[in-house]
Amino acid sequence: MRAVITVIGTDKIGIIAGVSTILAEAGVNILDITQTTMQELFTMIMLVDISKAVVSFEHLSGRLSAKGDEMGLKIKIQHEDIFKSMHEI
Amino acid sequence: MISPREILETINMISNENLDIRTVTLGISLRDCVHPDIEIASRQVYEKITRIACDLVKTGEEIERDFGIPIINKRIAVTPISIIGESSRGDMAQIALAMDRAAAELGVNFIGGYGALVHKGYTEGDRRLILSIPEVLARTKHVCASVNIATTKAGINMDAVAQMGFIIKQTAELTAESSSIGCAKLVVFANAPEDNPFMAGAFHGIGEPECVINVGVSGPGVVHSALKKLSPEADFSQVAELIKKTAFKITRMGQLVANEASRRLGIPFGVVDLSLAPTPVIGDSVAHILEQMGLEKCGTHGTTAALALLNDAVKKGGIMASSHVGGLSGAFIPVSEDAGMIDAVRCGALSLDKLEAMTCVCSVGLDMIPVPGDTSEHTISAIIADEAAIGVTNNKTTAVRIIPVQGKKAGDPVEFGGLLGGGVVMPVSNYSSSIFAQRGGRIPAPIHSLRN
């Protein structure tokens, strides 16, 4: 099962390190990372595989969101299907 | 991988443009709960609802969390209770109290189906149920009532129309202390759909399966934002095209959530209701979409045409995004629940007459309209008859959810709270319809109902 993590906010040192540490601890594999700036906001998008995760989706989501709060960023994790169903026919 | 632009578009729709799933509604048949003893029937109703729907709220919350899309309401619709309570001796309100307890236990805000279908006439059960509506709406918190008084096939039951004027007045009086809010939970329909997931008019029709998941989408804010980006020189073909594309995306979310809810609950999927359902929140208004098309205020000349285009484009865009479409499907115009409509009424741009015209081209009808508390029952009946005539003649659903707010006169502010919103009391005609409303009998079905 795959999910999309989005990080939106002001660019700063340690964003990728912070997020990927949480993912490594949770047993989540990173499949792809893109970074872009949208309307002056730093945006990082990660595609991850959560099928071998050792923690629940709820727990992972909570940890990422807490990390976001700590760094002044918005970090979300959502199942990939929401994007696929909206944008792919 | 999906492009970053697309991912951010989805996130922006949810975070900034109020895209949400308005309701996941679980329809439950109560036909096996019938019993001659009303106590036993009520207990069976309570037990069945709480058994079938025990995981509804939890599952809804899990879907919200996994996909990151808000599901505003998780609700329940049941078989019209006139059918369930008909065989029982005793007070039918007992079943409503059981429904209310079940809803509270499950954590759902509304449970629909305390209703009757009397478009051609009454059975004894229908009669008992309708008489109990005011008391039920005053004594319960979560129960919604609806009565179907007309269909294109049967015509309009004017005896029922006359009675519903009284019932609405009585409900307003019994709930006078809370802005007559009981009336916000009572819908009078023509051509009521059997699979509508939206309250207050949801019920589980008799042609429906044992239980079913129906989903209502929303997203006026998304359509409004998309139109804002369109150049003012864009013509109506471009406007319609953009709304279609946006509606497609919104509806895909509804279909995804419907499939997930159905799979996780092990309950078959019924329909997605292709709707633009506003809320009182700024940026979630259907009126603002119409204004974005170039009208200074919703309600001015051109509003009906703008709404017709919007309603049609939403359906065309949505139909391909969903495997089964049903319910009310169209733009809603509940006045007190739409910030733009409230403003338009307040400044005098939007009148009851214009709203009536608008109901010819969109889903539902005169919805969530506060009128003066001293509006007579006959005037209310005549308003219902007008709406029913529009529905019956145009082969569409229409409804009246009108609130004669006790102690208020035209122009007074009123507050219902939460999703029900608030606004300003709208004036009605001062000329009497009382002889018309009391004539009774049936207005025959229109000639074009004979389609065989």
Side-chain angles (χ1 to χ4, degrees):
Chain A
M1 179 144 6
R2 305 201 303 183
V4 173
I5 296 173
T6 48
V7 181
I8 301 175
T10 318
D11 196 9
K12 59 185 63 155
I13 294 165
I15 295 180
I16 294 186
V19 173
S20 51
T21 307
I22 293 173
L23 298 180
E25 284 167 8
V28 172
N29 188 28
I30 300 171
L31 303 172
D32 196 357
I33 303 186
T34 54
Q35 234 176 260
T36 170
T37 307
M38 291 269 297
Q39 292 155 0
E40 292 160 32
L41 278 182
F42 166 79
T43 309
M44 182 179 79
I45 297 168
M46 275 182 173
L47 182 67
V48 297
D49 181 356
I50 54 170
S51 50
K52 294 195 180 101
V54 293
V55 297
S56 70
F57 190 86
E58 189 177 5
H59 179 83
L60 181 60
S61 170
R63 284 214 60 192
L64 288 168
S65 158
K67 187 78 195 167
D69 292 344
E70 184 189 315
M71 300 187 76
L73 300 158
K74 273 214 163 113
I75 307 184
K76 273 183 191 237
I77 179 164
Q78 291 161 279
H79 275 217
E80 182 193 32
D81 286 355
I82 186 167
F83 305 105
K84 280 173 101 171
S85 70
M86 184 181 273
H87 298 287
E88 289 178 0
I89 296 176
Chain B
M1 186 176 168
I2 312 132
S3 80
R5 189 184 56 77
E6 289 168 337
I7 289 176
L8 294 172
E9 182 188 356
T10 305
I11 288 179
N12 188 45
M13 282 183 185
I14 296 168
S15 311
N16 302 324
E17 296 169 357
N18 299 312
L19 173 62
D20 56 50
I21 303 300
R22 185 49 47 85
T23 181
V24 172
T25 302
L26 170 55
I28 304 173
S29 166
L30 297 181
R31 277 152 61 182
D32 54 354
C33 299
V34 172
H35 196 279
D37 183 335
I38 196 98
E39 296 280 347
I40 298 173
S42 304
R43 194 164 66 233
Q44 291 181 159
V45 163
Y46 174 85
E47 279 166 6
K48 182 159 190 190
I49 295 169
T50 48
R51 175 167 51 84
I52 305 272
C54 60
D55 290 330
L56 175 66
V57 171
K58 181 169 75 77
T59 304
E61 285 166 357
E62 282 167 9
I63 295 171
E64 283 183 81
R65 191 194 60 220
D66 291 354
F67 294 97
I69 182 157
I71 301 172
I72 306 299
N73 298 300
K74 296 93 184 166
R75 291 169 168 172
I76 295 168
V78 297
T79 314
I81 296 298
S82 66
I83 298 167
I84 307 310
E86 181 141 11
S87 308
S88 311
R89 283 177 301 275
D91 181 9
M92 243 190 239
Q94 290 214 38
I95 300 180
L97 297 175
M99 289 164 66
D100 204 44
R101 279 198 305 277
E105 160 86 19
L106 295 166
V108 302
N109 61 353
F110 286 127
I111 180 165
Y114 196 77
L117 309 170
V118 295
H119 35 271
K120 212 163 183 180
Y122 293 79
T123 65
E124 264 321 294
D126 296 332
R127 206 175 295 284
R128 281 165 53 211
L129 181 124
I130 291 173
L131 284 171
S132 73
I133 287 175
E135 184 206 337
V136 161
L137 294 178
R139 285 178 67 189
T140 60
K141 198 168 165 216
H142 310 285
V143 174
C144 292
S146 58
V147 177
N148 193 60
I149 49 88
T151 65
T152 298
K153 277 278 181 197
I156 307 173
N157 179 350
M158 290 299 291
D159 292 326
V161 168
Q163 189 184 12
M164 289 316 294
F166 280 97
I167 295 291
I168 289 173
K169 279 288 280 190
Q170 223 180 334
T171 305
E173 284 158 15
L174 287 180
T175 55
E177 280 175 17
S178 43
S179 305
S180 300
I181 201 156
C183 298
K185 298 182 284 175
L186 171 57
V187 185
V188 184
F189 272 118
N191 291 324
E194 299 204 328
D195 52 6
N196 157 32
F198 286 99
M199 294 297 170
F203 64 89
H204 186 75
I206 51 169
E208 295 287 304
E210 181 67 17
C211 46
V212 72
I213 290 286
N214 295 320
V215 168
V217 296
S218 181
V222 181
V223 174
H224 185 216
S225 298
L227 283 181
K228 264 201 237 174
K229 290 172 202 147
L230 200 65
S231 133
E233 284 88 49
D235 70 12
F236 278 115
S237 304
Q238 290 167 285
V239 171
E241 206 54 31
L242 183 65
I243 296 172
K244 269 160 61 180
K245 285 180 187 160
T246 312
F248 175 84
K249 290 176 181 172
I250 295 170
T251 310
R252 291 284 278 185
M253 296 295 90
Q255 182 70 46
L256 172 71
V257 167
N259 289 346
E260 275 300 312
S262 163
R263 186 179 64 77
R264 293 181 190 201
L265 288 165
I267 290 172
F269 158 66
V271 298
V272 172
D273 191 318
L274 309 176
S275 302
L276 286 184
T279 65
V281 173
I282 299 297
D284 210 15
S285 155
V286 168
H288 288 157
I289 299 175
L290 307 179
E291 290 169 4
Q292 193 62 39
M293 288 189 212
L295 302 169
E296 188 181 357
K297 271 285 167 200
C298 176
T300 187
H301 306 292
T303 301
T304 310
L307 182 59
L309 178 150
L310 172 67
N311 198 57
D312 184 62
V314 165
K315 287 188 231 175
K316 285 174 178 161
I319 194 107
M320 195 184 148
S322 175
S323 50
H324 295 282
V325 168
L328 294 163
S329 283
F332 293 174
I333 50 170
V335 176
S336 76
E337 299 175 9
D338 185 310
M341 298 270 172
I342 297 167
D343 279 349
V345 172
R346 197 171 278 135
C347 74
L350 182 60
S351 67
L352 203 55
D353 296 341
K354 188 63 179 180
L355 280 162
E356 185 180 311
M358 289 161 74
T359 66
C360 300
V361 298
C362 73
S363 73
V364 297
L366 292 173
D367 195 14
M368 288 304 289
I369 297 176
V371 295
D374 62 0
T375 305
S376 82
E377 50 271 27
H378 302 313
T379 296
I380 293 173
S381 294
I383 290 171
I384 294 170
D386 281 342
E387 264 316 292
I390 290 170
V392 164
T393 306
N394 295 302
N395 212 355
K396 72 184 285 293
T397 304
T398 49
V400 173
R401 186 160 53 143
I402 199 165
I403 305 139
V405 188
Q406 296 303 288
K408 299 270 183 184
K409 53 185 193 309
D412 285 352
V414 59
E415 200 50 56
F416 303 116
L419 279 179
L420 298 172
V424 183
V425 175
M426 296 183 78
V428 297
S429 173
N430 290 324
Y431 294 95
S432 167
S433 315
S434 68
I435 296 173
F436 172 86
Q438 294 177 87
R439 199 174 280 276
R442 283 157 55 196
I443 294 182
I447 184 70
H448 59 256
S449 70
L450 302 172
R451 299 182 74 169
N452 290 345

